[in-house]
Amino acid sequence: MFLLIGFCSFITATSSNKLLSAVVIHRHGDRNPFTTYKTDPYKDESNWPEGFGQLTKIGIQRQYDLGVWLRNRYDTLLPSRYHPKNVKATSTDVDRTLMSAEVTLAGLFPPSEADKFNENINWQPIPIHTTPPKDDALLAMKKFCKKYQQLFDDLLNSDHVKEINEMNKELYDFLSEKTGENITHVYDVEEIYNTLNTHYLANRTLPQWAWEVYPDNLMMKAAVSLRFKLPCYNRELAHLKTGLLFGEIVKLFQDFVDELWKSPKLLLFSGHDSTLADVLTTMGTFNDEVPSYSSAILLELYQNDGDHYVNILFKNSTGVYNLTLEGCDFNCDFANFTRFFEPIVQPNQTQWEKECENVSFI
C-alpha cells in the first residue's frame, strides 16, 4: 500500500520522538544498456561512450542528489563528519552500484575543512563493502542455493506460469519477430523492455514498432511486473532470497531497542531494480512498477517515550511514499514489525546454507 506524502512532512527527531537507526536500500543511478537485441539500432558499444552497463553523468548527479537528500533527512541521526561507527555502506560487486554508493556517500558526507586532504577536492574516501556475486547471499542474492533453485524451477514450470506464458504468446511472437530474438518467457520480455527504456531515457529514437509495446502496453507491463515478482513470489522463496538481508535489518534495530549501541546508525545498501523489487515483494508492497533509477527504500527505527516503532518509506523520482506492512500501521510497533518478518528472517549465513542443502522435502 502506497500513500504519497510531501517532502516537508517527514518525521523529525524530538525529545519524545527520536530516530535511533535507519536502513537505506537504493537502486543505482542512470546507466547505459547492458543488453542488446539482434535488430537493436544501438547495439554497437560506440553508441555508449561510458561502456555497456556503466553509470552515466546523469546517473552520477542523481546519486549525489540522493546523498544530499539523505543528509538533510538524517542530519539529526548522523554527525556531519564521517566516522565508520556511524555508517556502513555495502554494494553489489558491479561497477554501477559501487560508483553509485561512492557518489551517494559524497553527498551524504561532504568533508569538513579538517577532513580535506586537498583544498581543491571537495570529497573524502569512505569504505564500501562488497562480495563477488557468486559468494553474495546478502545483497546480490546470487550465491547458489539448491533448495531455492528447486523451488524457483518448480514455480517456473508450474501450470500457473505456463498458463501466463500461453496467454502472452502473441506478445512473445511480436517481440521475437521485431527483435530477432527468441522470446518465450517474461524474463525475455523484461530484457527487451529494459533495453528500450534505457534507450528512451537516453533520448535515443526508438524503432517505430517499439511504441506498440512500450511504455504503456498493458500486456507487456504485466509481464515485466511478473518477472520482478517471481523471485520472491511466496514466503518460501522470500525466506531463502531476502531472508539474510531482513535478518541484518531486524538485528540492527534490535540492537538499538536493547540499547547495545554497538551497531552503525545507518546501513546503506547499493543495489539494482531487482534488489528493490525483491525487498518490496517480500514486504507485500510492490506496486507493479519497475523501481526507477536512484529510487530508495528507507526503514527507520524510532523511540517514543520508551516505545519503539518502525516507519518504512519508498522514494522515487515522483515523491516519497509511506509503506505499510500487513497488520501494521505506518508507525509500526517494533514487536509487530519483527513478528511480520519472523517467517522471512535468516539468523545467519550458516543457517541459510544448511537450509539451502535441505531438499529432502522435494
Side-chain angles (χ1 to χ4, degrees):
M1 176 181 178
F2 286 93
L3 175 66
L4 182 63
I5 62 175
F7 280 96
C8 296
S9 63
F10 298 142
I11 297 173
T12 56
T14 66
S15 58
S16 61
N17 184 41
K18 183 179 181 181
L19 177 61
L20 299 180
S21 181
V23 176
V24 175
I25 308 166
H26 68 77
R27 187 188 177 189
H28 57 75
D30 303 49
R31 58 155 174 82
N32 290 332
F34 58 81
T35 58
T36 64
Y37 53 90
K38 289 180 181 177
T39 62
D40 186 348
Y42 309 107
K43 63 183 177 182
D44 192 301
E45 194 166 7
S46 63
N47 290 292
W48 311 100
E50 300 89 352
F52 283 132
Q54 297 297 318
L55 210 60
T56 65
K57 287 182 180 179
I58 292 174
I60 293 170
Q61 182 64 59
R62 204 188 297 272
Q63 286 300 134
Y64 183 82
D65 292 343
L66 175 63
V68 172
W69 185 88
L70 292 172
R71 165 47 58 190
N72 291 331
R73 182 166 183 83
Y74 295 136
D75 204 39
T76 59
L77 176 69
L78 300 172
S80 59
R81 294 186 68 179
Y82 167 75
H83 193 285
K85 72 178 182 181
N86 291 321
V87 60
K88 180 181 179 182
T90 304
S91 173
T92 59
D93 191 21
V94 178
D95 288 359
R96 58 184 174 274
T97 51
L98 289 162
M99 292 170 66
S100 291
E102 291 169 1
V103 182
T104 302
L105 289 167
L108 182 58
F109 289 104
S112 66
E113 286 301 317
D115 292 322
K116 285 186 178 181
F117 61 91
N118 185 315
E119 283 301 317
N120 297 318
I121 302 176
N122 193 36
W123 171 84
Q124 61 180 322
I126 297 175
I128 300 163
H129 301 265
T130 192
T131 303
K134 66 181 181 63
D135 299 321
D136 188 354
L138 175 69
L139 189 56
M141 307 173 196
K142 291 186 176 182
K143 185 176 175 65
F144 180 73
C145 176
K146 186 186 296 185
K147 183 175 178 180
Y148 178 87
Q149 193 60 54
Q150 182 64 69
L151 288 168
F152 190 62
D153 289 344
D154 288 346
L155 174 63
L156 294 184
N157 292 318
S158 67
D159 291 341
H160 175 60
V161 173
K162 286 180 179 178
E163 183 179 343
I164 291 172
N165 284 330
E166 187 60 34
M167 290 170 56
N168 284 336
K169 190 175 186 309
E170 184 177 344
L171 173 65
Y172 296 167
D173 289 346
F174 176 84
L175 291 175
S176 296
E177 176 191 348
K178 299 300 182 181
T179 65
E181 303 289 343
N182 185 27
I183 308 298
T184 62
H185 202 278
V186 292
Y187 272 78
D188 303 326
V189 175
E190 190 273 328
E191 282 196 7
I192 300 301
Y193 183 92
N194 200 318
T195 301
L196 294 176
N197 188 57
T198 307
H199 291 177
Y200 176 77
L201 293 177
N203 294 318
R204 301 294 200 273
T205 301
L206 298 184
Q208 191 59 42
W209 62 263
W211 297 109
E212 297 188 42
V213 290
Y214 174 89
D216 296 322
N217 181 283
L218 294 180
M219 186 170 288
M220 190 165 188
K221 290 184 72 172
V224 172
S225 172
L226 179 61
R227 171 265 175 268
F228 280 104
K229 288 189 285 191
L230 284 174
C232 295
Y233 204 63
N234 54 49
R235 285 202 167 184
E236 281 186 300
L237 289 169
H239 178 58
L240 296 167
K241 186 76 168 177
T242 59
L244 281 172
L245 181 58
F246 279 110
E248 290 279 311
I249 295 168
V250 171
K251 182 179 182 300
L252 173 75
F253 288 171
Q254 187 68 61
D255 284 349
F256 280 93
V257 169
D258 294 339
E259 300 184 350
L260 298 180
W261 315 118
K262 64 180 182 180
S263 299
K265 293 180 180 180
L266 173 68
L267 294 183
L268 181 73
F269 293 101
S270 181
H272 308 263
D273 50 4
S274 57
T275 313
L276 273 67
D278 288 344
V279 170
L280 291 168
T281 301
T282 299
M283 296 192 300
T285 56
F286 184 54
N287 69 343
D288 294 327
E289 297 290 334
V290 180
S292 58
Y293 293 127
S294 303
S295 54
I297 300 166
L298 294 78
L299 299 97
E300 302 173 341
L301 174 68
Y302 287 88
Q303 182 180 33
N304 187 3
D305 295 330
D307 295 325
H308 296 87
Y309 63 92
V310 177
N311 285 341
I312 308 175
L313 306 99
F314 180 71
K315 179 187 183 304
N316 63 16
S317 58
T318 64
V320 183
Y321 303 83
N322 294 350
L323 304 184
T324 56
L325 305 174
E326 183 179 358
C328 224
D329 295 329
F330 178 61
N331 297 327
C332 183
D333 180 77
F334 184 68
N336 290 336
F337 176 82
T338 56
R339 193 176 300 117
F340 177 89
F341 287 108
E342 189 174 350
I344 303 298
V345 161
Q346 293 280 355
N348 52 61
Q349 186 155 328
T350 299
Q351 177 62 31
W352 177 82
E353 288 173 352
K354 286 181 179 179
E355 288 195 41
C356 284
E357 290 302 313
N358 180 20
V359 292
S360 59
F361 73 98
I362 298 173

